[in-house]
Amino acid sequence: MTAPRLGRPTRPPAAEAGGLWRAVLWAIAGALAFGLALSPVPRAAGTLVGDRLGEVALASTGVYASLKTINAGISLIQEAQLGGGVGVSGAVQPLAWLDPVDDTVERMAELVFWVALGATLLALSVEPFAALGWVCLALAALVRCGGCLMGRGRGRGRAARAGERGLTVLGLALAILLPAAVVLGLEAGARLTEARWDGAMATLSAVTEEADRVVEPYSEAEEESFVQSLRNRWEGTRDFVSGYYRLGGALWAESEALFGAILTLAGVFLLRLVVLPAAILAAAVALVRRMA
């Protein structure tokens, strides 16, 4: 009686047939995912996210314009000097104490500008990222299809599973989780910070209105007669002096509230655009990795 020959066990026909059917299904899934990458689906995701981010960019542009108006008004009234009387020489700038306020407003204006730029860049990036995500999902399905056809060798199976898992997580993150996280983060941030946003904007609008009265006479350039020019200059000087006292008084009374409003607006922008979407995306990716 001869001993049985030892070797690699052969797969039963039923297992081979099941592997072939699974390979066909994964090939179909890969083709569908690749078709979605070329379809209007990524464009729809980009449009949905772009509309929400467009609102953020528009709001940040308005805040930026207000901050630049306040900055210009402070710069103008800081240049005003009071001369000495009889027997006294020199001049003083009574609103030189506004330097810290001016610096803070200017720096916050730069921050808001970068927020608007970041929102615009993210809105433009969602569509290509979504298309790339569907391509990654198509490649993951093709890797699974190849694994079903070639069998489950130990080394080859581990490499295939690692590649498939990485492509799946990356594809889901770019195609579905990123747009969803941005939309959910913006909606949640808007609801959670609505009261703080309204209060900060009311404070900023009040100071901006006073600053605009100082800046407005210098922002209009038009052809006029000599007499009209003198009259307009006199009226502009009178308005400037009046606006000088109003803006100085507003900044004196509302300097602390203005600082708080500027910091609140900057924090709201970062919370809506960065913190909440990043937290939602990180939690979703961690959940997908655990399930994959």
Side-chain angles (χ1 to χ4, degrees), residues 33-49:
F34 188 75
L36 288 174
L38 301 177
S39 71
V41 172
R43 184 179 304 173
T47 302
L48 176 63
V49 177

Side-chain angles (χ1 to χ4, degrees), residues 116-140:
L117 182 61
T120 304
L121 179 62
L122 183 57
L124 295 175
S125 302
V126 168
E127 181 178 348
F129 280 170
L132 179 61
W134 288 112
V135 171
C136 290
L137 290 176
L139 293 177

Side-chain angles (χ1 to χ4, degrees), residues 88 181 283:
V88 180

Side-chain angles (χ1 to χ4, degrees), residues 27-285:
I28 295 174
L32 290 176
F34 188 75
L36 288 174
L38 301 177
S39 71
V41 172
R43 184 179 304 173
T47 302
L48 176 63
V49 177
D51 291 341
R52 306 302 174 87
L53 290 175
E55 297 175 1
V56 175
L58 182 61
S60 59
T61 302
V63 173
Y64 176 79
S66 298
L67 292 176
K68 296 303 290 184
T69 301
I70 295 174
N71 181 247
I74 293 175
S75 299
L76 282 174
I77 66 175
Q78 277 187 306
E79 296 298 325
Q81 297 181 350
L82 295 179
V86 178
V88 180
S89 61
V92 295
Q93 292 179 322
L95 293 182
W97 62 272
L98 288 174
D99 279 337
V101 181
D102 194 20
D103 292 341
T104 302
V105 170
E106 187 174 0
R107 291 182 180 181
M108 287 301 173
E110 293 179 358
L111 176 61
V112 173
F113 172 79
W114 286 109
V115 168
L117 182 61
T120 304
L121 179 62
L122 183 57
L124 295 175
S125 302
V126 168
E127 181 178 348
F129 280 170
L132 179 61
W134 288 112
V135 171
C136 290
L137 290 176
L139 293 177
L142 294 179
V143 170
R144 176 66 69 90
C145 174
C148 293
L149 290 176
M150 292 185 294
R152 295 177 175 267
R154 174 174 293 184
R156 183 174 55 196
R158 288 180 179 178
R161 284 193 297 271
E164 175 202 342
R165 182 180 180 185
L167 288 172
T168 301
V169 172
L170 180 60
L172 289 175
L174 294 179
I176 300 175
L177 300 182
L178 177 61
V182 173
V183 172
L184 291 177
L186 291 176
E187 289 293 331
R191 294 181 181 274
L192 293 174
T193 60
E194 183 177 2
R196 293 179 179 270
W197 173 270
D198 292 339
M201 284 300 297
T203 301
L204 185 65
S205 298
V207 179
T208 304
E209 184 178 356
E210 299 297 337
D212 191 59
R213 294 177 182 176
V214 175
V215 176
E216 185 177 4
Y218 296 89
S219 61
E220 298 178 354
E222 58 182 2
E223 296 182 359
E224 53 191 9
S225 64
F226 177 73
V227 176
Q228 186 68 26
S229 176
L230 291 178
R231 181 181 300 174
N232 289 342
R233 288 187 181 183
W234 165 250
E235 293 177 356
T237 303
R238 184 181 59 187
D239 293 341
F240 172 77
V241 174
S242 177
Y244 171 93
Y245 287 110
R246 284 197 303 266
L247 180 57
L251 290 173
W252 176 270
E254 302 291 339
S255 59
E256 184 176 353
L258 180 61
F259 275 125
I262 293 174
L263 292 176
T264 298
L265 292 174
V268 167
F269 278 129
L270 294 177
L271 180 67
R272 293 182 182 181
L273 191 62
V274 179
V275 177
L276 287 179
I280 294 174
L281 180 61
V285 169

